[in-house]
């Protein structure tokens, strides 16, 4: 038998994760009806990890250290992108 999560339980789980993303500064609650928007920080993070090589490096880095918080994942991704910029453009940010 397979375990399935009920619709209300799944909605509660999504709401909880959205609230965690708010706590981290990646989402902002628009209203109490469950509407959220990406913050500038959230857009920046998505833009950084949009590139598959950056995302894969970030995931691999987190695996090597046994896991990472969302904030740490954003820092790993940003550090990798900055390294790429330095290598390709010859400037350090």
């Amino acid at each position: 038998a397979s375990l399935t999560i009920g619709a209300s339980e799944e909605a509660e789980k999504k709401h909880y994760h959205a609230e965690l993303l708010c706590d981290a500064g990646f989402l902002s609650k628009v209203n109490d009806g469950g509407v959220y928007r990406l913050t500038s920080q959230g857009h920046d993070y998505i833009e950084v990890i949009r590139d598959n090589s950056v995302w894969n490096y970030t995931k691999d880095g987190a695996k090597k250290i046994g896991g990472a918080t969302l904030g740490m994942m954003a820092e790993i991704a940003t550090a990798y992108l900055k390294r790429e910029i330095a290598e390709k453009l010859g400037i350090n940010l």
Side-chain angles (χ1 to χ4, degrees):
S2 64
L3 176 65
T4 57
I5 297 175
S8 63
E9 188 176 343
E10 185 65 26
E12 187 175 316
K13 187 176 180 181
K14 287 179 182 180
H15 175 75
Y16 176 74
H17 285 107
E19 290 295 320
L20 289 174
L21 288 166
C22 286
D23 291 346
F26 292 94
L27 284 182
S28 178
K29 186 183 275 190
V30 174
N31 63 38
D32 288 330
V35 177
Y36 299 87
R37 69 171 186 80
L38 276 173
T39 63
S40 177
Q41 183 178 345
H43 278 282
D44 288 350
Y45 180 57
I46 287 174
E47 190 59 37
V48 168
I49 63 170
R50 185 179 307 274
D51 181 275
N52 282 334
S53 66
V54 172
W55 177 236
N56 289 331
Y57 177 82
T58 302
K59 290 189 304 182
D60 290 344
K63 284 179 192 174
K64 287 178 185 176
I65 60 171
T69 66
L70 182 58
M72 291 166 59
M73 295 288 283
E75 289 180 30
I76 292 169
T78 301
Y80 181 71
L81 182 60
K82 286 181 178 182
R83 187 177 83 186
E84 291 286 306
I85 290 169
E87 289 175 1
K88 292 178 181 176
L89 302 179
I91 58 172
N92 293 315
L93 298 178

